[in-house]
Amino acid sequence: LNADQVLAMVNTILTKNKTVVLEAVKVAGNSLKDASDGMKDDKEVVKAAVHANANALQFASSYLKSSEDVALTALTSGLNADQVLTMVNTILTKNKTVVLEAVK
């Protein structure tokens, strides 16, 4: 059993438990895909997932895909800037801080 499969195999109740989800995404960011919608909308959980694996950004809520803070976390976590900018809300492509980080 690998870490990516942890949340996929646990009870739905546990996918809503912040402590459980937070620990899972710290080990395997893409575990966010199996978390509850509420956890996908929790900034702390999403930032931890994106920090572990920037590709986890694709599983974040639409609201958090509009977050400058989350976008900056993804940009500093090793994902190609073009990929990050295609996953975030288009409003962030006009955000000076995000764009400056993307072109570093």
Side-chain angles (χ1 to χ4, degrees), residues 29-30 32-33 49-60 65 74 77-80 83-84 87:
N30 279 339
L32 185 62
K33 71 181 172 212
V50 169
H51 181 73
N53 182 338
N55 281 311
L57 178 59
Q58 66 186 310
F59 305 115
K65 287 180 183 175
S77 294
L79 189 62
N80 177 293
Q83 291 175 295
V84 172
M87 283 191 252

Side-chain angles (χ1 to χ4, degrees), residues 1-69:
L1 181 68
N2 69 41
D4 277 340
Q5 296 170 319
V6 172
L7 283 180
M9 297 180 68
V10 296
N11 187 302
T12 303
I13 293 169
L14 292 179
T15 66
K16 296 177 183 178
N17 181 300
K18 185 172 180 174
T19 303
V20 171
V21 174
L22 193 55
E23 289 306 311
V25 300
K26 285 179 181 177
V27 174
N30 279 339
S31 292
L32 185 62
K33 71 181 172 212
D34 298 309
S36 70
D37 289 344
M39 292 296 98
K40 292 175 184 177
D41 198 40
D42 183 291
K43 189 180 247 184
E44 181 183 7
V45 169
V46 170
K47 284 184 65 177
V50 169
H51 181 73
N53 182 338
N55 281 311
L57 178 59
Q58 66 186 310
F59 305 115
S61 69
S62 296
Y63 173 73
L64 288 180
K65 287 180 183 175
S66 299
S67 166
E68 177 183 305
D69 195 24

